[in-house]
Amino acid sequence: MTDSSRRPIAVFDLDNTLADTAHRQRFLECRPRDWDAFFAAAPADPPIPEGVALAREQAEGCEVVYLTGRPERCRRDTLAWLAAQGLPEGRVYMRRNDDRRPARRTKLEILRRLARSREVRLLVDDDALVCQDAERAGFRVVLARWSAPSPELREAQERQGRT
């Protein structure tokens, strides 16, 4: 049962939805992939204007929540980045450091958990598979098409459970 006395939730992904990861894709193109360098470079991500504007717009009527496939060990950098961009304050849900399940499984699990007590008004994510599964589960989604798709990042999200 949802608590209608509280504002609905708008859920935003980070990488390639709010944060432009293009400058750090090179760490995923080498073999073996350099995950430490990939995540260490995240604080230098430029914001994506379309995503940031949508988050600010949604904050007018919703509680903004961030749902990322980044591992928990990146929390400090992630919180600092969100604050530096002037994004709305909100809870940040991150992947456990040892969780290697596909992003669409981990994110859908958290969305369902959130929906047990609150209305989830919207999910914004760049991962088409995450959006597809969320839409099938009854969530309203916006596919963030404002970033160039990265085959390396898609493989990391779906096959390696890394982001």
Side-chain angles (χ1 to χ4, degrees):
M1 178 173 215
T2 59
D3 179 353
S4 59
S5 67
R6 297 170 64 195
R7 295 185 334 158
I9 299 172
V11 181
F12 283 82
D13 173 49
L14 295 178
D15 293 336
N16 288 334
T17 298
L18 298 174
D20 185 348
T21 65
H23 72 102
R24 53 188 171 115
Q25 293 301 311
R26 67 184 187 275
F27 299 117
L28 300 182
E29 294 165 1
C30 60
R31 299 292 184 266
R33 291 185 168 100
D34 189 345
W35 289 106
D36 290 337
F38 178 77
F39 289 120
D45 289 353
I48 300 173
E50 296 90 340
V52 170
L54 185 56
R56 289 179 179 148
E57 176 186 307
Q58 288 299 310
E60 293 175 16
C62 296
E63 176 186 340
V64 173
V65 170
Y66 302 97
L67 175 56
T68 180
R70 291 180 186 183
E72 186 64 43
R73 70 179 182 274
C74 299
R75 180 169 292 277
R76 184 175 304 175
D77 286 344
T78 298
L79 294 175
W81 186 88
L82 289 166
Q85 308 316 312
L87 280 153
E89 288 186 23
R91 291 173 287 163
V92 178
Y93 293 88
M94 304 181 86
R95 170 189 302 275
R96 288 186 330 266
N97 289 330
D98 62 347
D99 188 347
R100 297 286 185 265
R101 294 176 296 155
R104 66 181 191 254
R105 287 189 54 211
T106 60
K107 289 183 175 185
L108 191 56
E109 180 180 292
I110 293 170
L111 282 171
R112 285 180 169 141
R113 188 175 342 131
L114 290 170
R116 284 198 291 260
S117 62
R118 300 280 290 283
E119 174 194 350
V120 176
R121 174 142 320 150
L122 177 69
L123 166 68
V124 183
D125 201 300
D126 70 305
D127 186 325
L129 293 174
V130 168
C131 288
Q132 185 178 64
D133 285 1
E135 197 166 47
R136 277 191 200 129
F139 295 98
R140 180 173 167 243
V141 301
V142 172
L143 177 59
R145 297 178 188 265
W146 40 79
S147 293
S150 161
E152 291 81 14
L153 189 59
R154 183 165 294 113
E155 182 179 335
Q157 291 169 326
E158 293 307 319
R159 291 200 180 127
Q160 299 182 352
R162 290 287 192 154
T163 184

